[in-house]
Every structure is written in C-alpha cells, then in structure tokens.
Amino acid sequence: MDARFNLFENETGARFAKRFAGLAQVLQQSGLPQSTQELVSLRASQINGCGHCVDMHVKEAAAAGETAVRLHLVATWRESTVFTEAEQAALALAEEGTRLADAHQGVSDETWALVRKHYDDDQTATLVVLVGLINAANRLAVITHQKSGSYEPGMFASAHG
C-alpha cells in the first residue's frame, strides 16, 4: 500500500500542518507530563490503527526516556502494574474519548472523576485537547495511507516555525 496523498506537499495542506504543529507545541509546553502525552497519543493511535502515529509516538516517547516495557504494555495498560493511577486515568480518557462511536455515553463519569482527581484544570484541558488532536491526526494519516517506520524523533519540531 502506497501513500495516497502527501498533505505536506500541498499548499493548503502545508498551511494546515503548520497550524496543527502549533497546536501540538501548545500542548507540549503545558504542565501535563510529556510522558503522559506520549502514552495517550500512542494509545489512541493504536485504537485507530494509525501505524504512522504509533511509529511517531513510540519513538518520541523512547527518545524522551520512556522504557520499552511501558511502551509495550500501553495496549494492555489495565492488566499491567507499570502505570501510575494518574496515567491510568489519562489512558482511560484516551480510550473512551477515541471510541465515541462505540460507546454512546462518551467519557464515563467514573473516568472523568479519576481525571479530575489527578489533573488540575490546565492539565485536564491539555488532555481533552490532546485526545481530540491525536484522533484528528490519526484520521488524516489513515485516510491518506501514511506509512510507518521512517519517523525520526523531533522530525516535525520545525513545522510550527
């Protein structure tokens, strides 16, 4: 399967990508730990079957010091002992916010209560926007058949410039 379309080689797509990267930079500069952001992005990308984004977030997390054990266990976080209660709340939010079509109630009150227990208002806002943003990125990459495997950490860092 070849990529269908390169959004970055199109004028409109390139303008969008620059703004998208700017939004991502706002999230990265927030008070939400980078490791939590990468775990959330990885889990949503796994659910959405976005190999391009899984590749990106595994490599970014590893470059930031995340362990291989934790990265390997993200898909089965409920059955593992390596994630904090706060990370588990963020991963639950990622799953429920990603599977909106599968669960008509959206994010459960229980998950929301756990998120609010562990994250302040700014961190909660970051989590909510992050879940929305990674789901958008997943859809763009899946629709256009973006390939995985060639991402290098920091590759898009200059895109917001």
Side-chain angles (χ1 to χ4, degrees):
M1 172 176 75
D2 292 328
R4 290 179 171 158
F5 188 75
N6 186 334
L7 284 172
F8 302 105
E9 291 178 354
N10 170 279
E11 182 182 340
T12 299
R15 287 193 337 249
F16 169 77
K18 183 175 182 176
R19 284 158 181 82
F20 200 86
L23 293 171
Q25 183 182 31
V26 171
L27 296 176
Q28 291 171 353
Q29 294 171 348
S30 74
L32 186 66
Q34 191 62 38
S35 60
T36 301
Q37 291 186 45
E38 294 299 341
L39 295 173
V40 163
S41 295
L42 176 56
R43 185 63 191 124
S45 299
Q46 290 170 334
I47 292 166
N48 287 323
C50 183
H52 178 75
C53 293
V54 167
D55 183 35
M56 177 189 312
H57 294 291
V58 164
K59 290 175 179 174
E60 288 290 351
E66 191 59 73
T67 67
V69 169
R70 285 168 44 94
L71 290 173
H72 289 296
L73 292 174
V74 167
T76 58
W77 64 269
R78 283 183 179 84
E79 291 82 29
S80 75
T81 60
V82 298
F83 300 104
T84 67
E85 189 175 294
E87 289 168 334
Q88 291 173 11
L91 288 165
L93 180 71
E95 287 188 358
E96 292 175 23
T98 297
R99 292 186 164 137
L100 295 177
D102 300 337
H104 68 278
Q105 79 276 9
V107 175
S108 68
D109 291 339
E110 295 80 13
T111 294
W112 188 253
L114 283 173
V115 166
R116 296 305 291 156
K117 174 182 174 185
H118 294 285
Y119 298 103
D120 65 24
D121 287 351
D122 288 340
Q123 292 170 323
T124 299
T126 300
L127 275 171
V128 170
V129 172
L130 177 62
V131 170
L133 195 61
I134 190 59
N135 275 278
N138 292 162
R139 281 151 179 77
L140 294 171
V142 170
I143 289 167
T144 60
H145 286 182
Q146 298 306 299
K147 300 289 173 217
S148 59
S150 62
Y151 182 83
E152 296 294 329
M155 199 167 143
F156 296 134
S158 64
H160 53 76

